[in-house]
Amino acid sequence: MKQEIIDINIQEGIANCGGSEELYKTVLESIVLYVPQRLDHLLACLEQKEYKEYIIEAHTLKSNAALIGAVGIASQAKELEYAGKSGEYKVLHKKTSILIAQFENVLEQIKKPDFC
């Protein structure tokens, strides 16, 4: 099955890093290293119904996605963060796996040597 290409606005990501392409690349390296652990923790929080911790992880993932210019992912994470804050836990159970899959897709794109 072919993976969907997630839109990453590289220029926006560079702008978010003060206009520094070098800093943007450093941020991307950090994202690749640390986001998989955050995704695992998000899922564990959901499974264990630790919703306060889930909200914190969703917020962090939202910020990480926005920083690199993955606006769609950031929007999804924001939706889940706010759903958690509103006690709409069914939304979390329904949409978390989608967010995780799409963020994993972003990570795969970033790892490609020709990404940016």
Side-chain angles (χ1 to χ4, degrees), residues 26 34 59 78 80 87 89 114-115:
T26 300
Y34 297 108
H59 176 82
K78 179 180 179 178
L80 293 175
Y89 303 130
D114 62 344
F115 176 70

Side-chain angles (χ1 to χ4, degrees), residues 54-55 58-59 62 71-92 94-96 98-99 102:
Y54 179 100
I55 292 164
H59 176 82
K62 173 188 72 177
V71 181
I73 299 286
S75 177
Q76 290 178 342
K78 179 180 179 178
E79 178 186 352
L80 293 175
E81 175 189 359
Y82 283 36
K85 287 180 178 179
S86 299
E88 299 174 44
Y89 303 130
K90 287 183 181 181
V91 172
L92 306 183
K94 182 178 180 182
K95 295 187 175 185
T96 297
I98 296 167
L99 175 70
Q102 291 187 339

Side-chain angles (χ1 to χ4, degrees), residues 12-114:
E12 184 173 332
I14 292 170
N16 291 340
C17 292
S20 169
E21 189 172 328
E22 185 176 322
L23 179 57
Y24 182 65
K25 288 180 180 182
T26 300
V27 168
L28 292 175
E29 291 171 4
S30 294
I31 294 285
V32 167
L33 284 175
Y34 297 108
V35 164
Q37 297 164 15
R38 294 214 169 268
L39 294 173
D40 289 345
H41 190 237
L42 183 76
L43 185 57
C45 290
L46 181 66
E47 290 170 348
Q48 297 166 12
K49 298 181 180 180
E50 294 177 1
Y51 298 120
K52 286 183 180 183
E53 197 67 28
Y54 179 100
I55 292 164
I56 293 168
E57 285 298 337
H59 176 82
T60 301
L61 290 166
K62 173 188 72 177
S63 299
N64 285 201
L67 181 61
I68 64 169
V71 181
I73 299 286
S75 177
Q76 290 178 342
K78 179 180 179 178
E79 178 186 352
L80 293 175
E81 175 189 359
Y82 283 36
K85 287 180 178 179
S86 299
E88 299 174 44
Y89 303 130
K90 287 183 181 181
V91 172
L92 306 183
H93 287 276
K94 182 178 180 182
K95 295 187 175 185
T96 297
S97 62
I98 296 167
L99 175 70
I100 290 172
Q102 291 187 339
F103 220 132
E104 287 173 342
N105 186 316
V106 164
L107 294 172
E108 289 305 312
Q109 288 180 57
I110 292 169
K111 289 178 189 177
K112 292 180 181 175
D114 62 344

